[in-house]
Amino acid sequence: SSNENEALLALRRASQIAKENKIDLNDLSGNLSFKTGLIKLRRKKVYSYESLIASLLVSHFRVKIIHTSLFDKESLRDEKVLELVGEARHVEMAEYVFFFLKKQLENLWEKRKEGTQKKGIKLKHDFFFGVLDGLCEQLNSEKLCEENISSKKDESLILKKSEQKLLEYTSYVFPRTVSSSAKSYSVGMGEYKKGFSEGKKLKIRQP
């Protein structure tokens, strides 16, 4: 597939960079098997709520995400893509969660609009931001609870080491780019609060 070809090109680029710098990619990844994935947005911009989803994935699904552009042969223009880097299982899960959340956001907004006159991209995105922030709060609480319950220091050290290996690997695959981070945004509090309460209840279903 085109995704596989583009991922292969990214890995070849990493190998070339590593060779030029006399670095063994196996040393960077250790015993971990890293891969790249590609999410094509099919347009020239990334919506702010999509950046927020990307930030959520970085925080909770053990991947790094690079915002970049690729030339599309069909539209004959550069289009935005999100490149994911991580262990194969984490990249696959992050890709699934990205599209799952986009679909859920649309579904929740349709329900929100029922029987009302609410419409417009600004209100819609305010609601989306609320849902995603509510979900982030939920995931942060669950993560903190798990950390408090867990007494496995060795497991914590392994996760930190894995994160460091991923960071090093990503830096060499994409040496001049920066991983995704959430940007500030202004919202109307009415729809944001409605979305936030929905986000705190939202459950991510396993594929």
Side-chain angles (χ1 to χ4, degrees):
S1 70
S2 60
N3 280 12
E4 289 172 345
N5 290 335
E6 285 153 351
L8 181 59
L9 287 174
L11 290 177
R12 284 177 178 170
R13 183 166 71 242
S15 297
Q16 182 180 357
I17 293 167
K19 185 176 180 181
E20 291 172 355
N21 291 277
K22 298 181 180 180
I23 295 167
D24 187 346
L25 283 181
N26 290 326
D27 290 339
L28 288 179
S29 61
N31 295 322
L32 303 174
S33 177
F34 292 137
K35 67 169 284 187
T36 61
L38 199 65
I39 294 175
K40 293 183 177 181
L41 299 179
R42 304 291 182 184
R43 66 181 107 85
K44 297 179 71 174
K45 68 177 291 185
V46 180
Y47 294 138
S48 295
Y49 78 89
E50 290 172 327
S51 292
L52 191 53
I53 294 176
S55 180
L56 182 150
L57 296 177
V58 170
S59 297
H60 297 283
F61 291 88
R62 301 181 190 174
V63 293
K64 298 299 179 187
I65 298 182
I66 308 299
H67 287 234
T68 186
S69 299
L70 280 179
F71 182 76
D72 184 80
K73 293 180 181 178
E74 295 180 4
S75 63
L76 299 177
R77 65 180 185 181
D78 285 336
E79 295 182 341
K80 290 297 183 181
V81 298
L82 303 178
E83 296 204 45
L84 290 72
V85 187
E87 292 182 59
R89 60 198 173 109
H90 295 153
V91 168
E92 289 166 7
M93 177 57 76
E95 288 177 341
Y96 164 78
V97 171
F98 182 86
F99 290 108
F100 173 83
L101 288 179
K102 288 196 70 172
K103 183 176 181 180
Q104 290 302 306
L105 289 171
E106 293 290 346
N107 291 342
L108 289 169
W109 177 243
E110 287 302 314
K111 288 181 181 179
R112 170 69 180 145
K113 287 195 305 178
E114 287 178 3
T116 73
Q117 298 296 316
K118 295 187 179 298
K119 57 184 178 179
I121 195 71
K122 178 65 169 63
L123 289 177
K124 180 180 181 179
H125 284 187
D126 288 348
F127 181 79
F128 283 3
F129 293 143
V131 173
L132 293 169
D133 279 351
L135 177 59
C136 281
E137 181 171 288
Q138 178 196 152
L139 293 175
N140 286 335
S141 297
E142 291 174 358
K143 185 176 181 181
L144 183 61
C145 183
E146 288 173 1
E147 288 174 352
N148 289 337
I149 292 173
S150 176
S151 59
K152 298 178 181 178
K153 292 185 178 180
D154 289 345
E155 183 177 323
S156 178
L157 288 173
I158 290 171
L159 289 176
K160 287 181 180 179
K161 196 169 184 180
S162 171
E163 173 69 16
Q164 183 59 36
K165 288 290 185 183
L166 174 57
L167 186 59
E168 292 171 1
Y169 187 84
T170 305
S171 295
Y172 280 99
V173 175
F174 304 97
R176 289 178 292 278
T177 52
V178 180
S179 185
S180 172
S181 60
K183 298 179 180 179
S184 60
Y185 45 82
S186 60
V187 297
M189 293 308 294
E191 290 308 310
Y192 176 86
K193 287 180 178 179
K194 293 291 185 181
F196 191 87
S197 64
E198 291 292 340
K200 292 187 73 173
K201 299 182 290 185
L202 181 61
K203 298 299 179 186
I204 298 174
R205 298 173 187 168
Q206 295 293 324

